[in-house]
Structure formats: C-alpha cells, structure tokens
C-alpha cells in the first residue's frame, strides 16, 4: 500500500478534480467571492495602529492587566457571562440526558 | 294623537314579526304563528280605523315624507285608494294566517312559513303605503322575492323549485319594464326641472309627478318614424310591470305554476297581495294613464282578452287549484279592463276596478281556502278523483258555493240584493258597454260578457265535480278544524254581503283619491289631453244590458249542471285527445311549448346563452391564465425555500458579497 | 514589525474556510466546527487590534467570546445528540421540515 506506484495521469487528475469541484462549485464560488471582497477591503484600508508595540522585557505577559480589567471595568459582563455559562450548561445537560431524565 | 300618525306601523309590525318569527319561531308552539297574527291584527285595526276616519272626514289624507337622499324621499300616503287596499290586505292576510295555523300544522318548517308570509304582507303593505314611485318599486321587488320564497316553499320538490324560478323570472321581465319606465320618468322630470331641484321637492313623489303630466305629455320621442308622447311610453312600461305582476296575457304563465306552493300561499298571492300589486300600480298612477293617448285602450283590450283567454283554459283543467289559478288571471283581466274603461268614464273606473279587486280578494281567498280545506282533508287536488265532498265537509261546501256564486256574479240588478262579485263585475261589464257606446269599440264588451259566461261554467263545473255526485274514489274526508272553518265563514259573509252594502259608497270614496289636498287632479282635463271623451255616469244602460251578466251567469250554471250534475251530455267524446279544440285548451294554447321550449330553451338558452357563454369563457381564460402564471411562478420560486440552513447561509453570504461589490463599483463610478 | 494587515488577512482566510465549511458540510458536528473556526477568526481580529492599539479591552472580550463559544458548543452538541436520538442521523439535510 505504501509502495503504491504514483503515476502522473493529467486526465485522471482533471477528472477527479472535476468530480471534486462539480458538487461544490456554488460553495467555492461564493466563498471565493467573499474572500476576495474581504481581502480587497483588508489590504486597501489603512488600519489605525500605534507606531511601536509596547514592550516590557521583564514581564512580557499581560495576564495581570487583563485580570485587573475583568474585575474592574468589565465585571458586569463577566457576571452575566457566568450566568449564561451556567444556564447553558444546565440546558445542555438537560437536553443531552434525554428521555431517561425522570 | 290622530290615528294617522300610526300609519307607519302598518307595514312595520309585520316586518318586525318577520324578524321575530324567523329567529324565535322554532321555539314557540305552532312555529310562532301568534307573532305575525298579532302583528297583522294590529295593522288591520289601524288600517280599519284610518279608513273609517277617512270615510267621515274625506279630506284627512295622511301624508308623511322624509328626505332620504338627494331628491328622493321615503314617505307614506294614505288616501282612500290606499286605505281600502290596506284594510283589505291586512284583513285577508290575517284570516289566511289564522287559517294557516291549522293548515300548516303538520309541516316541519312552520316558522319559516310564517316568517315569510309576514314579510310578504309587510312588503305588500309598504307597496301600498308608498308615496313615491321609487319606494313603491323597492316594495314591488320585495314582494317578488317573497313570492319566490313562498312558491318554492317546498323546495325539495323539483316542481316547486321550478315554479318559483318561473314566477320570479317571468315577473322580472315586467319589473325591468317598470324600472325602465321609472328611469325615463326620472330623466324627463329632471329635464323639466332643468337639473336644479329646489330643496324639499321630491321629484319621484306622486303629487310631483302628477303635477308635471302636461309637460310630460308635451315631450315627444320618435320611435320607428312615429311621434310618441313620453307619457305614453312611460305608462306603457308601467303597464308592462303590471302585466308581469298581475299575470296579464303574455306574462301570465307563472301564475298557474305558482300553485306548487302551499294552498294558503296561493290564496295569499292570488287574493291579497302579489297579483293585485299590478292593478294597484295602474290605479295609483291613473292620472298618468288617462293623460296618455292609447295606453288605456291597450289596458282595456289586453284586460278583456286575458279575461276570456284564461277562462277558456279554466274550463278544461282538472286540477282544483289550477282552475282557480286561471280564474284569478281571468278576474285580473276584468280589473285591468275596469281600469281601461277609464277612457270612457274617467276616475270612476279606478273605483270600479278596486271594488272588484277587493271583492275578488274576498271570494278568491275563500275559494282557495276552501280548496285548501278539501285538499287538506282528502289529500288530492284532481277533481276527477273527487265528488260528493259536500256530504263530509258541509261547511266547506257551503262556503265554497257562496264564493262560486260571488265569482259568477249572481244578483238582481237595481237592488242591493246580490253577491259581492255581482256588483263589481256587473259594474265593469256595464262600464265596458259604455266604453263601446262612446268609442264604438265593442270588442272589450263582447269579450267580457263571453268571459262571464265561461266563468260561470268553469266555476260550477268545479263545484259539481267536487262537491256533488258520487265519490269517484275512496277517500277518508272529515270537516276541517275550527281554526280553518271560522275564517272561511267570515270570508263567506263578506263575499255575500260586502258588495251589496258598500256598492255605491265605495266607488265615490275611492274616486276621491284624485281630488284631495295631496293630489288634486282634474281628470276630465287630463282625459282631453289623452284624447278620450268621457261619457256620463254608469246606470243609463238599456235593461237588457243590465240583466245580461245575470243571464249569462245563470246560463253558465245551467250548462254546468246539465253536463256535470245530470250528465245529459256525454262528455267522453268531447273530452278526448282527438278533439282539436279540447286538445288546444288542455295544452293551454301550447304556451308551454312556445314560451318554455321555444323561447326559453331554443332562443334564450341555446342561442343567447351560448354567445354569452363564449364571451364568459374568454374572460375565464384570461383570468385563469393570470392565476396559472402566478401559481406556476410561485411554485418555482418556492423551491428556494429548501428548509436547509446552509442554503440560506450561502444565499446571505453571496448576497452580502455582491452587495459590497456593487457598492464598491458605485462608489468608484461616483 | 509585522503589519496588521497580515493578521487580519489570516483572520479573513480562516473565516472563509469556516464559512465554506458551514456552507458545504452536511454533518452537524462539522458545521459546529466550522462555526468555531469563524468565531476564532473573530477572536484573532480582536486580539490583533487590541495589541496594535495598546488597549487590553479587545483581549478581555476575546476571552468572553471564547467562553460564549464554549456555551454554544455545549448547547449545539446537546441539540445534535437529541436529533441523533430522534432520527439516528445528524445529517442536517434531512431536517428540512421548514421547507416549502
């Protein structure tokens, strides 16, 4: 199996390519259209950015900063998120248990 | 409060009774018959009081009118003509309703019956009360609808359904003519007013119409090279409506078929309501008729012809009710003749005609109710199977004989002894004589006197075949219940004595219709406009002419007695399919073949209807094409809704992509 | 310094791959995976812009969105399990009762 002879048969490749692309033609077309549009937008837009990335060689991590922000500025979304997580967990378990719940 | 203020209640109470009976009747005993009976009884009392009041104070004509819209109004007018009609209609209708309680007691749809008869009565009453021609037309149509409902009361029977349709469609021909007349009248009046109608003037009201008769007569139209006055056209069209409703010659075909309804309905239609509507219309618009050249002659000739035409058919019919139906047509012919001879005697003709109408209502209602009583008890209406009924049903037989005497017109001229029918019919025949004398046209008189002979023959043939002799088949008969015999007795008394007691007074009273504070017409002047020469009053005829109706009536009785009572003449040879005259009469002059099979089926149905159908198919095709295209488009478009979420996602993404490209391109171009 | 366009471009490519997967795959689990890809390309964007603008907010919200993705995945898989129990398949093509 491993030493299966690899032959180059352009006709066969084209045929298999055709059979691969034929049912996916619409999806591929749409995806490429979308990709092209986005790529054009991305590369022809001047994004705002700082000139120099902040560098802190002693502590390259920004975990501390993120933690502080979560518990100060964004504590309300954080709490809400915890409730969402809990309820989705309960819902998922309830649904996944199915009929033998009782 | 004057009794006249209650006049509006007369049609309103039966109409209310219709609503109540229709919705509550099923829950009440006897189909809620008590509601219409009470309502119509109240209406009768009001009408009677109004009539008595009018008799004492001839000037107190009741007029009320309210603006409806634009130049039209709703209103009531109770003058002598309307008052006597109201009293008669409510009275006969009341008796028929009481009688129906017994007659319809076995029918499951009693409440529907009583509701419909109440509506029928209400429509007729509102027709009589109308003070303008538009309201009259609306009620006229309502009467038509109710007659359709009632003739087809037993709609399970195909014959009844067909008869109802026939009645409705035949009278509709007349109705269309009537409507055309109204439209022409309206446009003419509009022209007379130059299109500006002052406030408070309702141009369709009778007084307004009559006031403009001279202008109408002055308008001429050119039809087929002949100069015809507008008033002639209008009156002829009105008369066309009356021909349809009152069963005159070409449009009488529905009337015999209308016997398919319950017998009480026949009594109601033939005596009190529907068929008298046409006569009433002509009487109501009589000033227009007398001002119109030649219209009254048409009325007279057609009336006389119908009288004899129907009488000949009445002689050969074997169905109890059909004989009476043809008798009704014949008597309606007399009424029309009575109006037509107004060409010779003026407004008195209206009195005579309405007098006959009232008397006819009494004895014809009586005849029908008696026939109903026989049919109810015996269960058949073929006279060949009856005979000797007088022994088991003495009251019915006695009352029916009274009615027959009244119909045939027995009485002694010059005295007050005589049946009701005698006074009125005699007056009309004598009027026809005067008409002949003054104009030289004797045909109506001859026709009417021959018709009187035939009337006597057919009605006594009916009496002898039904009530005397030996029973021809076994039937278990019994006298009807008191609720049926009491109305019969009351009607019999009226059929005997009403005419004698009121004869002279009545004519004068009704003739006052056109000379009071509402409508004040100078009839002789109008007659001059129409080119008629009014003769002197009735009562100056030779003695022979006075006695002639009685002579023919007795002759008819004797002929009928000889043939059907003593059987001195063997009728079997005469009554056979080989006798062409008998065949012609029995087949009713082949009207059915001509009207139904030829005109209706061949011309209307196969010819006209085919053309209309082709056009209709064309429209159908267009409409169907539009709908087909819509359906197919929708069918193919809905395939987009695959129900698979990826498809939608793909579409959204593709759409967004395309939109962005489009915006980009547009931005570049701009 | 790596230009930000490359990060965003990478995010776009990942997003398109997820999109393509979502559009073409029939299996419910593969579709959920594609959705994860799209979410993560968004996270990538968030982090990239956060870094390049010296603002930690974006990274905080990247964390939140990861948590939400966990919720979504948990519920999605639970639904798929229910569907599987009902029909013995998670091929979402056969769930087209909302069709015309």
């Amino acid at each position: 199996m491993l030493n299966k002879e690899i032959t180059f048969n352009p006709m066969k490749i084209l045929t298999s390519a055709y059979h691969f692309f034929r049912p996916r033609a619409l999806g591929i077309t749409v995806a490429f259209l979308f990709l092209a549009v986005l790529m054009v937008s991305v590369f022809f837009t001047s994004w705002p950015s700082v000139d120099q990335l902040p560098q802190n060689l002693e502590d390259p991590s920004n975990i501390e900063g993120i933690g502080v922000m979560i518990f100060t500025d964004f504590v309300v979304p954080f709490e809400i998120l915890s409730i969402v997580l809990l309820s989705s967990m309960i819902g998922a378990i309830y649904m996944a248990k199915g009929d033998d719940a009782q | 409060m004057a009794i006249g203020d209650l006049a509006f209640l007369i049609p309103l109470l039966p109409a209310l009774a219709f609503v109540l009976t229709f919705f509550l009747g099923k829950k009440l005993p006897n189909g809620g018959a008590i509601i219409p009976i009470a309502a119509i009884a109240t209406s009768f009392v009001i009408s009677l009081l109004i009539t008595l009041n009018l008799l004492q104070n001839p000037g107190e004509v009741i007029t009320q009118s309210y603006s409806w819209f634009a130049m039209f109004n709703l209103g009531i007018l109770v003058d002598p003509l309307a008052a006597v009609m109201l009293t008669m209609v409510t009275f006969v209708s009341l008796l028929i309703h009481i009688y129906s309680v017994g007659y319809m007691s076995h029918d499951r749809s009693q409440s529907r019956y009583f509701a419909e008869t109440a509506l029928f009565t209400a429509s007729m009453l509102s027709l009589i009360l109308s003070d303008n021609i538009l309201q009259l037309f609306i009620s006229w149509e309502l009467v038509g609808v109710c007659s359709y409902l009632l003739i087809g009361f037993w709609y399970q029977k195909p014959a009844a359904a067909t008869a109802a349709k026939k009645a409705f469609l035949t009278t509709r021909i007349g109705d269309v003519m009537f409507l055309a007349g109204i439209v022409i009248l309206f446009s003419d009046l509009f022209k007379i007013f130059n299109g500006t109608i002052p406030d408070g003037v309702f141009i369709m009201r009778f007084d307004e119409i009559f006031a403009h008769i001279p202008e109408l007569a002055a308008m001429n139209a050119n039809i087929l090279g002949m100069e015809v006055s507008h008033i002639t056209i209008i009156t002829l069209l009105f008369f066309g409506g009356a021909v349809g409703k009152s069963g005159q010659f070409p449009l009488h075909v529905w009337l015999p078929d209308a016997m398919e309804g319950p017998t009480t309905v026949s009594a109601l239609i033939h005596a009190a309501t529907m068929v008298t509507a046409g006569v009433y219309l002509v009487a109501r618009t009589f000033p227009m008729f007398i001002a119109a050249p030649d219209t009254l002659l048409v009325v007279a000739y057609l009336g006389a012809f119908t009288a004899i035409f129907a009488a000949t058919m009445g002689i050969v019919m074997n169905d109890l009710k059909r004989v009476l139906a043809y008798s009704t047509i014949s008597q309606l012919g007399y009424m029309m003749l009575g109006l037509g001879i107004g060409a010779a005697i003026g407004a008195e003709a209206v009195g005579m005609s309405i007098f006959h109408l009232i008397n006819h209502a009494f004895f014809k209602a009586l005849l029908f109710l008696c026939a109903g009583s026989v049919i109810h008890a015996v269960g058949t209406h073929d006279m060949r199977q009856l005979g000797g009924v007088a022994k088991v049903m003495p009251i019915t037989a006695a009352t029916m004989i009274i009615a027959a005497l009244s119909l045939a017109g027995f009485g002694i001229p010059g005295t007050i002894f005589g049946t009701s029918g005698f006074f009125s019919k005699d007056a009309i025949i004598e009027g026809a004589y005067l008409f002949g004398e003054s104009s030289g046209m004797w045909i109506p008189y001859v026709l009417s006197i021959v018709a009187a002979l035939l009337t006597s023959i057919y009605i006594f043939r009916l009496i002898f075949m039904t009530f005397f002799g030996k029973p021809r088949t076994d039937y278990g008969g019994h006298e009807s219940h008191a609720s049926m015999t009491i109305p019969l007795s009351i009607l019999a008394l009226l059929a005997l004595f009403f005419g004698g007691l009121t004869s002279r007074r009545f004519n004068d009273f009704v003739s006052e219709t056109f000379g009071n504070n509402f409508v004040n017409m100078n009839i002789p002047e109008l007659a001059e406009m129409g080119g008629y020469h009014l003769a002197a009053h009735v009562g100056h005829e030779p003695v022979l002419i006075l006695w002639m109706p009685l002579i023919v009536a007795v002759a008819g009785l004797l002929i009928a007695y000889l043939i059907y009572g003593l059987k001195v003449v063997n009728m079997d040879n005469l009554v056979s399919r080989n006798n062409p005259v008998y065949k012609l009469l029995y087949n009713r002059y082949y009207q059915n073949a001509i009207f139904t099979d030829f005109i209706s089926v061949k011309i209307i149905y196969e010819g006209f209807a085919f053309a209309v159908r082709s056009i209709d198919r064309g429209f159908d095709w267009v409409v169907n094409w539009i709908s087909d295209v819509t359906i197919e488009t929708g069918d193919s478009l809905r395939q987009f809704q695959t129900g698979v979420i990826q498809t939608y996602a793909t579409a959204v993404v593709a759409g967004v992509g395309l939109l962005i490209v489009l915006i980009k391109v547009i931005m570049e171009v701009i | 310094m790596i230009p930000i366009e490359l990060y965003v471009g990478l995010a776009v490519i990942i997003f398109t791959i997820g999109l393509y997967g979502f559009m073409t795959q029939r299996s419910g689990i593969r579709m959920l995976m594609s959705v994860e890809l799209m979410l993560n390309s968004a996270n990538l964007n968030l982090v990239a812009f956060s870094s390049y603008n010296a603002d930690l907010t974006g990274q905080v919200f990247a964390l939140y969105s990861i948590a939400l993705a966990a919720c979504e995945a948990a519920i999605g898989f639970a639904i798929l399990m229910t569907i599987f129990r009902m029909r013995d398949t998670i091929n979402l093509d056969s769930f087209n009762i909302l069709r015309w």
Side-chain angles (χ1 to χ4, degrees):
Chain A
M1 201 173 166
L2 279 176
N3 49 10
K4 187 183 167 194
E5 199 176 339
I6 297 169
T7 52
F8 183 72
N9 186 343
M11 197 57 220
K12 205 168 178 181
I13 289 173
L14 274 179
T15 322
S16 60
Y18 175 76
H19 284 300
F20 179 79
F21 283 113
R22 174 75 211 275
R24 295 166 177 80
L26 181 65
I28 289 168
T29 315
V30 171
F32 264 96
L33 171 74
F34 197 71
L35 183 66
V37 165
L38 284 189
M39 280 301 184
V40 167
S41 317
V42 165
F43 284 101
F44 289 89
T45 311
S46 55
W47 301 106
S49 74
V50 291
D51 298 333
Q52 186 62 46
L53 286 178
Q55 299 274 334
N56 191 347
L57 294 175
E58 289 104 61
D59 181 16
S61 161
N62 54 8
I63 294 292
E64 193 187 336
I66 291 172
V68 168
M69 278 194 87
I70 285 175
F71 285 100
T72 53
D73 293 351
F74 299 108
V75 69
V76 176
F78 182 76
E79 297 294 340
I80 292 172
L81 187 70
S82 67
I83 293 168
V84 171
L85 259 175
L86 179 66
S87 54
S88 75
M89 205 63 76
I90 294 169
I93 292 168
Y94 174 78
M95 274 194 288
K97 271 183 85 177
D99 289 337
D100 45 347
Q102 62 246 15
Chain B
M1 189 170 81
I3 187 70
D5 295 344
L6 295 175
F8 71 94
L9 282 176
I10 296 172
L12 212 61
L13 285 173
L16 206 65
F18 158 68
V19 177
L20 285 178
T21 320
F22 193 79
F23 288 110
L24 301 176
K26 277 179 194 142
K27 298 185 181 122
L28 298 171
N30 287 324
I34 188 69
I35 303 172
I37 289 175
I40 294 170
T42 318
S43 298
F44 169 63
V45 171
I46 298 173
S47 319
L48 191 65
L49 290 174
I50 289 175
T51 312
L52 292 177
N53 187 38
L54 264 178
L55 268 170
Q56 278 157 12
N57 317 301
E60 287 190 14
V61 172
I62 299 157
T63 55
Q64 292 166 9
S65 101
Y66 301 98
S67 175
W68 183 15
F69 67 91
M71 63 218 72
F72 302 110
N73 72 324
L74 286 176
I76 51 182
L77 161 66
V78 188
D79 52 9
L81 174 63
V84 294
M85 285 288 288
L86 284 177
T87 317
M88 184 279 288
V89 169
T90 47
F91 179 66
V92 174
S93 174
L94 175 63
L95 289 185
I96 290 172
H97 273 84
I98 295 172
Y99 177 95
S100 306
V101 175
Y103 188 79
M104 297 301 286
S105 57
H106 305 306
D107 202 290
R108 277 186 302 142
S109 324
Q110 272 186 84
S111 62
R112 184 161 60 89
Y113 170 83
F114 282 110
E116 284 171 3
T117 49
L119 183 63
F120 199 10
T121 312
S123 340
M124 188 63 196
L125 291 173
S126 94
L127 188 153
I128 295 168
L129 276 171
S130 307
D131 78 336
N132 62 81
I133 200 114
L134 202 66
Q135 195 183 336
L136 195 149
F137 182 73
I138 293 167
S139 317
W140 177 278
E141 292 294 331
L142 259 178
V143 170
V145 171
C146 294
S147 75
Y148 171 78
L149 291 174
L150 281 171
I151 293 169
F153 182 71
W154 287 318
Y155 53 82
Q156 305 91 336
K157 285 201 308 187
T162 317
K165 246 185 297 181
K166 192 171 182 179
F168 194 65
L169 290 178
T170 315
T171 52
R172 190 116 282 277
I173 298 172
D175 294 352
V176 170
M177 286 199 259
F178 184 20
L179 184 60
I182 292 175
V183 170
I184 295 175
L185 176 65
F186 175 75
S187 75
D188 282 356
L189 284 173
F190 206 73
K191 238 178 272 168
I192 288 168
F193 276 98
N194 272 332
T196 49
I197 288 127
D199 278 348
V201 171
F202 305 116
I203 64 171
M204 298 313 268
R205 219 164 66 172
F206 288 119
D207 57 343
E208 208 63 48
I209 296 171
F210 294 161
H212 293 97
I213 286 176
E215 286 107 309
L216 287 173
M219 289 176 152
N220 279 317
N222 197 337
I223 297 172
L224 300 174
M226 280 189 296
E227 286 286 310
V228 184
S229 168
H230 270 206
I231 196 147
T232 308
I233 299 169
I234 294 166
T235 48
L236 277 178
L237 286 170
F238 279 12
F239 182 59
V243 164
K245 254 323 181 244
S246 288
Q248 296 301 294
F249 164 55
L251 299 180
H252 65 278
V253 284
W254 65 271
L255 233 161
D257 287 13
M259 296 297 114
E260 290 296 339
T263 310
T264 45
V265 169
S266 309
L268 202 58
I269 290 176
H270 286 206
T273 48
M274 180 139 174
V275 296
T276 58
V279 178
Y280 180 77
L281 172 68
V282 178
R284 174 51 85 205
T285 52
F286 190 73
M288 296 173 71
F289 276 80
I290 203 160
D294 305 333
T295 308
L296 276 181
L297 300 183
V298 174
V299 175
Y301 274 97
L302 201 65
F305 177 69
T306 307
I308 192 165
F309 178 73
T312 52
M313 287 185 283
I315 286 182
V316 295
M317 288 298 134
N318 288 320
D319 186 317
L320 201 55
K321 286 168 78 180
R322 273 185 192 269
V323 174
L324 297 179
Y326 281 111
S327 154
T328 302
I329 301 175
S330 170
Q331 296 303 309
L332 287 165
Y334 271 113
M335 292 172 210
M336 286 298 180
L337 172 63
L339 289 166
I341 59 180
I345 58 175
E348 215 173 327
V350 176
M352 273 162 42
S353 181
I354 296 297
F355 190 37
H356 191 50
L357 191 156
I358 305 273
N359 289 330
H360 173 257
F362 292 141
F363 65 69
K364 188 48 63 66
L366 181 52
L367 282 170
F368 268 112
L369 296 185
C370 287
S373 178
V374 171
I375 293 164
H376 193 65
V378 178
T380 175
H381 33 84
D382 192 333
M383 290 197 293
R384 284 167 299 189
Q385 293 169 16
L386 294 166
V389 179
K391 288 195 190 85
V392 284
M393 305 178 76
I395 301 176
T396 308
T399 49
M400 187 128 181
I401 290 167
I402 290 171
L405 288 173
S406 191
L407 170 62
F410 276 81
I412 302 162
T415 62
I416 61 156
F417 301 106
T419 52
S420 304
F422 165 72
F423 286 99
S424 50
K425 202 162 85 172
D426 220 30
I428 290 176
I429 294 174
E430 281 161 25
Y433 174 79
L434 277 178
F435 178 72
E437 205 176 43
S438 70
S439 65
M441 288 180 275
W442 292 97
I443 297 171
Y445 176 68
V446 174
L447 289 180
S448 68
I449 202 86
V450 176
L453 175 67
L454 294 173
T455 305
S456 182
I457 294 175
Y458 71 68
I459 195 64
F460 286 111
R461 170 175 175 267
L462 183 147
I463 296 283
F464 285 123
M465 280 181 85
T466 309
F467 290 104
F468 296 104
K470 289 197 194 83
R472 272 168 280 242
T473 47
D474 287 334
Y475 53 79
H478 56 85
E479 185 56 270
S480 298
H481 188 257
S483 75
M484 288 160 83
T485 52
I486 289 171
L488 293 183
S489 314
I490 298 174
L491 280 172
L493 286 178
L494 281 165
L496 261 187
F497 299 118
F498 181 78
L501 294 178
T502 57
S503 167
R504 208 59 234 170
R505 189 76 201 276
F506 190 94
N507 270 3
D508 296 342
F509 180 54
V510 174
S511 303
E512 278 164 17
T513 303
F514 303 110
N516 56 50
N517 50 11
F518 185 70
V519 174
N520 202 347
M521 306 307 302
N522 189 346
I523 293 290
E525 212 170 81
L526 288 174
E528 217 127 294
M529 206 181 292
Y532 305 116
H533 307 290
L534 296 190
H537 286 283
V538 187
H540 304 289
E541 300 86 355
V543 180
L544 181 66
I545 298 300
L546 286 176
W547 285 82
M548 198 66 185
L550 180 63
I551 292 168
V552 295
V554 174
L557 170 61
L558 286 177
I559 293 169
Y561 182 60
L562 288 176
I563 296 175
Y564 297 100
L566 296 177
K567 299 209 167 49
V568 289
V569 183
N570 191 356
M571 291 299 287
D572 291 343
N573 286 332
L574 216 53
V575 181
S576 77
R577 296 293 161 120
N578 297 328
N579 184 337
V581 176
Y582 179 79
K583 210 171 145 191
L584 179 68
L585 292 179
Y586 191 79
N587 287 319
R588 294 180 260 155
Y589 295 98
Y590 297 101
Q591 304 159 33
N592 208 39
I594 295 170
F595 283 111
T596 308
D597 297 344
F598 182 68
I599 296 183
S600 310
V601 175
K602 282 277 182 309
I603 296 180
I604 309 261
Y605 182 73
E606 286 176 4
F608 181 64
F610 180 75
V612 174
R613 200 187 72 159
S614 312
I615 297 169
D616 189 51
R617 282 288 153 90
F619 284 115
D620 260 11
W621 184 81
V622 172
V623 172
N624 285 342
W625 182 79
I626 292 171
S627 77
D628 282 352
V629 165
T630 317
I631 287 172
E632 271 165 32
T633 316
D635 252 358
S636 48
L637 280 180
R638 74 177 184 169
Q639 311 280 339
F640 284 112
Q641 301 292 328
T642 56
V644 181
I645 198 147
Q646 288 114 318
T647 322
Y648 301 147
T650 313
V652 168
V653 171
V656 169
L658 283 175
L659 197 65
I660 292 172
V661 170
L662 202 67
I663 290 172
K664 200 83 185 166
V665 168
I666 290 172
M667 295 305 271
E668 291 301 316
V669 168
I670 292 171
Chain C
M1 189 174 117
I2 305 164
I4 189 169
E5 280 83 0
L6 293 185
Y7 291 98
V8 183
L10 177 67
V12 165
I13 290 168
I14 294 173
F15 184 87
T16 313
I17 291 170
L19 193 66
Y20 174 78
F22 185 78
M23 288 191 299
T24 52
Q25 298 305 312
R26 299 283 174 261
S27 163
I29 290 176
R30 285 185 184 196
M31 281 170 68
L32 276 180
M33 287 161 70
S34 307
V35 172
E36 287 307 310
L37 270 184
M38 288 193 279
L39 269 172
N40 281 324
S41 81
N43 285 347
L44 193 57
N45 264 356
L46 279 175
V47 174
F49 280 107
S50 170
S51 297
Y52 275 72
N53 286 301
D55 185 353
L56 282 179
T57 313
Q59 294 179 41
V60 170
F61 273 93
L63 271 178
Y64 285 177
S65 101
I66 290 167
L68 278 177
C71 290
E72 174 250 308
I75 295 200
F77 284 116
I79 290 173
L80 285 173
M81 273 184 74
T82 321
I83 288 174
F84 184 76
R85 231 179 267 138
M86 262 164 50
R87 290 268 189 96
D88 270 348
T89 176
I90 49 168
N91 185 354
L92 291 186
D93 270 5
S94 44
F95 293 91
N96 53 3
I97 53 168
L98 282 180
R99 172 173 76 121
W100 35 278

